[in-house]
Amino acid sequence: MATRRPTTAAPYRCTECGWTTLKWVGRCGECQQWGTVVESGEQTGITRTVTPVAPGAARAARPITQVQTQEASRTTSGIGEFDRVLGGGLVPGAAILLSGEPGVGKSTLLTEVAAQSARVGRRVLYVSAEESLGQVRLRAERTGALHDELYLASETDLATILGHVDEVQPQLLIVDSVQTVSSSLSDGLAGHPGQVREVASTLIRVAKERDLPVIIVGHVTKDGSIAGPRILEHLVDVVCHFEGDRQTSLRFVRALKNRFGATDEVGCFDMTGSGIAEVADPSALFLGHGSREAGTCVTVALEGRRALPVEVQALTMATGAPNPRRIVSGVDGARVAMILAVLEKKGGITVSNQDVYVSTVGGVRLTEPAADLAIALAVASAVSDRPLPSKLAAIGELSLAGEIRAVTQTEQRRSEAARLGYRTVLDASSKTLRDALRDLPRLHRTEAGDEPSF
């Protein structure tokens, strides 16, 4: 009788999902990720045991009520908007991962962070594994980021980077980027999942041992997610994403993970020819010149916990085509089509014979339903060719029944509208879209004595 051979584990394993295979493949057969299948470190059939080690007195387990807490002293990065996203500033020993599309301005932002930190007396080591020292110096000259406490190094070897840390003794370390640094302790080229994991874990260990805040730049894939093994996001303390539209100068930094603060804060920046500038009050970026024009209405959108007034513009033109045009920019086309149907069916405004163009000011993109009412009022104003009251803001979600539904953080939105001088806010208190349209003549008479015909 033939005996069965002892089974052994497959020698190759996916670092993302744990799928195993007998031969190396470029793409995981389970999670379909590329470049994540690596050689497994051990074979099955070998049982390993771990010998218990008694912890020392300082590391003994204690009741949670006896654990002493100390608030980590934060240090400002010198940029208020970046501190807002981090939860108040840099925490000693924190590992921060900053990702973003190529060319969005990650290196420019971190150069400014390094310069501002150096100006307040903290020594900063900026390690660029993608650019030469001369290239970083040229960018620093253009943005005014030159300082004697800002040290530069162009290295791709992890051991050499650690040597620079020992020599410079920085109080802030910036590594740009983790996908271009390699370690001799791990096989594969730079950017390989094993290399990324080894480099990131070593930098994080150095950060914890020295109470040294470390900012690591990470690449992104085609779909916008952070490149490399998913464990990279689990290892770091803070994950920030730098995003923006190439057609505009506006940039946002969002916190996707933050062990030291909230994750619903957003930092706003403006990319200029001389560098990147923080925008403490971005309200003016998304508003027009303030003139009363038909087809414009202001709404208040939320970016994280920040309320931003945004002007919605609409233009309509009569057409005899069987399929009128519906062109949008900055808003969802499918949602605008739904709003137009509700506006004609429940509001009594005929738009089926009109080409409709809807856009936002400043390139901002509205994705939340709180802008529904503003879009409907802007289109109604464009159809009647009568401007809305200049101090009117509209906040609310439209249902298919024509009802105006309340949205989140209504009081915060109303407070921001009042701060900017908008005395009247149409929201869910109007109950239905028809009621809101019926209230417009009264509001217009109160402001200017002129009654538009809606």
Side-chain angles (χ1 to χ4, degrees), residues 210-235:
R210 306 189 181 204
D211 282 340
L212 171 67
V214 176
I215 302 178
I216 305 171
V217 177
H219 293 170
V220 295
T221 59
K222 292 180 180 180
D223 59 358
S225 60
I226 300 175
R230 194 72 176 182
I231 193 174
L232 178 62
E233 300 174 54
H234 292 285
L235 290 174

Side-chain angles (χ1 to χ4, degrees), residues 10-211:
Y12 295 94
R13 178 177 179 273
C14 176
T15 58
E16 290 286 336
C17 64
W19 178 74
T20 58
T21 179
L22 294 176
K23 63 179 182 178
W24 183 87
V25 291
R27 188 177 188 179
C28 174
E30 181 69 24
C31 64
Q32 302 299 315
Q33 294 293 320
W34 289 94
T36 58
V37 178
V38 297
E39 189 173 359
S40 180
E42 64 183 59
Q43 303 288 331
T44 47
I46 303 177
T47 304
R48 298 173 183 260
T49 58
V50 179
T51 303
V53 177
R59 304 186 64 178
R62 290 174 291 170
I64 191 172
T65 55
Q66 299 181 11
V67 177
Q68 300 297 322
T69 60
Q70 294 182 353
E71 182 67 24
S73 58
R74 297 178 182 267
T75 58
T76 177
S77 65
I79 300 180
E81 291 296 294
F82 193 53
D83 290 341
R84 174 199 291 267
V85 177
L86 296 180
L90 298 169
V91 176
I96 303 167
L97 177 63
L98 178 66
S99 66
E101 296 286 342
V104 74
K106 300 185 297 297
S107 299
T108 303
L109 173 63
L110 293 183
T111 302
E112 185 65 21
V113 170
Q116 293 293 344
S117 299
R119 290 189 182 104
V120 297
R122 290 197 298 272
R123 182 169 294 183
V124 182
L125 175 59
Y126 187 103
V127 180
S128 176
E130 299 179 348
E131 300 175 282
S132 65
L133 296 180
Q135 291 173 324
V136 179
R137 167 64 189 258
L138 287 175
R139 183 173 66 246
E141 287 181 349
R142 177 174 57 86
T143 59
L146 298 179
H147 198 278
D148 291 338
E149 287 297 312
L150 173 55
Y151 287 74
L152 299 180
S154 179
E155 296 291 347
T156 59
D157 181 64
L158 178 62
T160 308
I161 292 176
L162 298 181
H164 283 296
V165 173
D166 291 335
E167 182 178 350
V168 177
Q169 294 294 318
Q171 295 170 285
L172 172 64
L173 174 63
I174 300 175
V175 179
D176 184 7
S177 64
V178 68
Q179 276 85 8
T180 54
V181 178
S182 60
S183 172
S184 59
L185 300 179
S186 180
D187 296 332
L189 300 175
H192 192 274
Q195 285 283 3
V196 173
R197 184 169 54 249
E198 176 67 24
V199 172
S201 59
T202 302
L203 292 176
I204 294 171
R205 187 184 71 250
V206 171
K208 304 303 181 185
E209 291 176 350
R210 306 189 181 204
D211 282 340

